[in-house]
């Protein structure tokens, strides 16, 4: 029995020396110390040893088993350390290397917004921003839309409480500005607005730019000239602008503004439904009631105001068929506008 133990221990030693990986070592563990392993078999043979020697022999087998386990563990640890080092070297990442990383780009709405703002800045307008959560007072009342006014139906409002709402337009910044600043006033107000509307051309959240100019002697002619400059710089130099009579509570008179079709140039096509014109914004001469609501002398001053959707301009400019595409933020869609 003693011989057998020593023989096996030597055999294991030899095998361990030949092992070339931690997997090999593990295979040896199974082969010798597993449930039906060669060394484990010695313990089973103990029953054939005369009872008087059993204790001594059993102890020798166990001691041998511990030596064997240590031998395997030591070898395995050495392999693991080496393997780990190799892996670390092979999978090294140079965090200072930017090659292969995807770089984002400006969203089409932001791009169009910045271009438009640049045009208005060039015309002497200041850019202002305001709160997206508004009061009924600024969103409606100061703009000449009292409670129960039918014009409230023009804008399906998300109410937070009876008097607090998500702004339905950026027009409340007209009154906020006029209440805190004396004319001359020239501002453009870009920002997100909210309406309970959801289809291919309406999103419950979209972006508007509001414009306001209050000075002495302002007329529709100033408005038209300025919108022409805006349309030409946003689309192209041949773009024409026309006014149609309309109604907004905060302007009198009010106009709906069309531009010559950006796709066919006015000849008539699918985009302009054969008319040659595309409606892009609402505008007008600021209603004297709004000026007075904001403490501005309507006998001395007059102004024009306008409002349009940035999303709609982006859709026309880039030929985007569905407004929702711009809010889904699918990378494949966005990367076309790099
Ligand atoms: N507030 C309007 C809207 O929500 C846009 C607008 C129309 C703004 C006419 C104006 C204006 O200032 O005069 O669509």
């Amino acid at each position: 029995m003693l011989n057998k133990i020593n023989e096996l221990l030597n055999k294991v030693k030899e095998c361990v020396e030949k092992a070339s990986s931690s997997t090999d070592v593990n295979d040896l563990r199974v082969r010798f110390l597993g449930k039906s392993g060669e060394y484990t078999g010695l313990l089973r043979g103990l029953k054939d040893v005369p009872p008087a020697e059993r204790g001594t022999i059993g102890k020798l087998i166990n001691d041998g088993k511990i030596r064997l386990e240590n031998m395997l563990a030591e070898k395995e640890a050495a392999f693991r350390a080496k393997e780990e080092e190799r892996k670390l070297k092979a999978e090294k990442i140079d965090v200072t290397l930017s090659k292969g990383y995807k770089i984002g780009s400006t969203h089409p709405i932001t791009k169009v917004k910045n271009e438009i703002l640049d045009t208005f800045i060039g015309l002497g307008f200041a850019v202002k921003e305001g709160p997206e959560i508004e009061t009924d007072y600024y969103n409606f009342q100061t703009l000449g839309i009292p409670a129960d006014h039918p014009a409230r139906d023009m804008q399906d409002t998300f109410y937070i409480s009876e008097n607090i709402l998500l702004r339905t337009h950026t027009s409340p910044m007209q009154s906020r500005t006029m209440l805190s600043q004396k004319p001359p006033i020239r501002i453009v107000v870009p920002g997100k607005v909210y309406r309970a509307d959801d289809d291919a051309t309406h999103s419950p959240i979209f972006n508007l730019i509001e414009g306001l100019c209050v000075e002495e002697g302002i007329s529709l002619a100033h408005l038209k000239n300025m919108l022409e400059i805006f349309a030409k710089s946003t689309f192209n130099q041949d773009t024409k602008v026309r006014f149609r009579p309309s109604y907004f509570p905060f302007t009198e008179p009010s106009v709906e503004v069309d531009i010559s079709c950006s796709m066919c140039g006015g000849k008539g096509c699918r985009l302009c439904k054969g008319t040659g014109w595309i409606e892009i914004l609402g505008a007008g001469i600021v209603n004297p009631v709004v000026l007075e609501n904001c403490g501005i002398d309507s006998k001395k001053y007059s102004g024009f105001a306008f409002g349009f959707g940035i999303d709609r301009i982006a859709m026309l400019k880039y030929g985007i068929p569905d407004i929702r595409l711009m809010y889904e933020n699918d990378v494949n869609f966005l990367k076309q506008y790099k």
Side-chain angles (χ1 to χ4, degrees):
M1 194 67 171
L2 253 176
N3 285 346
K4 247 188 172 171
I5 294 172
N6 283 330
E7 223 175 81
L8 262 178
L9 282 176
N10 284 334
K11 192 168 165 192
V12 176
K13 213 171 160 188
E14 240 173 70
C15 291
V16 166
E17 270 160 22
K18 280 194 213 138
S20 61
S21 69
S22 60
T23 322
D24 283 357
V25 179
N26 208 34
D27 289 346
L28 291 176
R29 184 176 288 120
V30 175
R31 177 174 155 197
F32 292 102
L33 294 175
K35 228 162 135 198
S36 45
E38 289 178 42
Y39 195 87
T40 318
L42 290 179
L43 281 168
R44 254 179 267 124
L46 208 56
K47 62 178 187 317
D48 304 325
V49 173
E53 293 169 36
R54 242 176 241 170
T56 330
I57 301 281
K59 194 176 175 316
L60 283 172
I61 295 175
N62 270 332
D63 287 351
K65 189 181 171 196
I66 290 167
R67 270 174 62 199
L68 218 154
E69 272 168 349
N70 288 341
M71 218 185 327
L72 290 165
E74 225 171 84
K75 192 75 179 173
E76 191 176 24
F79 277 130
R80 282 216 187 280
K82 259 194 217 143
E83 282 159 9
E84 187 83 350
E85 205 182 299
R86 221 178 299 138
K87 204 171 158 203
L88 280 175
K89 265 196 197 138
E91 295 174 3
K92 192 169 80 172
I93 295 169
D94 182 354
V95 289
T96 64
L97 198 70
S98 67
K99 211 177 128 201
Y101 285 81
K102 295 200 174 73
I103 295 174
S105 60
T106 313
H107 191 282
I109 293 178
T110 309
K111 218 165 140 173
V112 169
K113 177 180 86 176
N114 289 341
E115 281 170 24
I116 295 171
L117 290 180
D118 275 351
T119 304
F120 283 108
I121 289 167
L123 290 164
F125 284 73
V127 178
K128 276 216 162 195
E129 285 182 297
E132 287 173 33
I133 296 173
E134 260 298 0
T135 57
D136 185 279
Y137 178 70
Y138 286 115
N139 196 80
F140 291 126
Q141 291 177 44
T142 54
L143 295 168
I145 319 175
D148 304 325
H149 192 287
R152 290 207 181 206
D153 295 341
M154 288 162 78
Q155 315 191 343
D156 243 327
T157 312
F158 288 112
Y159 281 93
I160 290 170
S161 67
E162 204 182 327
N163 289 311
I164 313 258
L165 45 85
L166 294 180
R167 67 177 177 192
T168 58
H169 47 186
T170 39
S171 310
M173 278 308 283
Q174 278 193 26
S175 15
R176 283 184 177 274
T177 305
M178 287 190 283
L179 282 165
S180 65
Q181 191 183 325
K182 294 289 144 232
I185 293 169
R186 274 190 205 186
I187 54 158
V188 273
V189 187
K192 293 201 262 306
V193 302
Y194 304 83
R195 290 181 205 176
D197 228 346
D198 196 1
D199 59 39
T201 52
H202 300 88
S203 155
I205 171 171
F206 63 104
N207 289 270
L208 278 182
I209 288 185
E210 177 81 13
L212 173 72
C213 169
V214 182
E215 288 171 34
E216 281 182 53
I218 290 292
S219 73
L220 276 182
H222 296 106
L223 173 68
K224 188 153 192 224
N225 178 250
M226 206 218 44
L227 290 179
E228 259 166 16
I229 296 172
F230 151 71
K232 284 182 199 300
S233 79
T234 304
F235 294 96
N236 62 63
Q237 285 304 311
D238 300 324
T239 309
K240 288 181 197 62
V241 170
R242 80 172 181 188
F243 283 3
R244 281 181 292 113
S246 184
Y247 170 77
F248 295 103
F250 27 88
T251 42
E252 185 57 41
S254 303
V255 292
E256 210 71 67
V257 181
D258 297 340
I259 55 160
S260 52
C261 179
S262 52
M263 199 149 100
C264 64
K267 286 197 243 9
C269 68
R270 181 174 45 83
L271 184 65
C272 58
K273 298 191 182 82
T275 64
W277 295 95
I278 291 174
E279 181 188 319
I280 56 159
L281 61 84
I285 292 298
V286 181
N287 194 320
V289 174
V290 174
L291 294 179
E292 296 294 338
N293 279 348
C294 301
I296 289 179
D297 182 356
S298 63
K299 302 243 163 24
K300 185 169 180 199
Y301 295 104
S302 59
F304 64 68
F306 58 88
F308 60 87
I310 306 171
D311 315 50
R312 178 151 167 74
I313 305 282
M315 287 167 80
L316 287 171
K317 241 185 116 119
Y318 296 124
I320 298 168
D322 191 320
I323 191 169
R324 291 169 291 201
L325 287 167
M326 292 191 288
Y327 291 95
E328 282 165 5
N329 286 332
D330 178 332
V331 175
N332 283 325
F333 168 78
L334 293 176
K335 71 182 175 197
Q336 299 175 78
Y337 303 97
K338 261 195 175 166

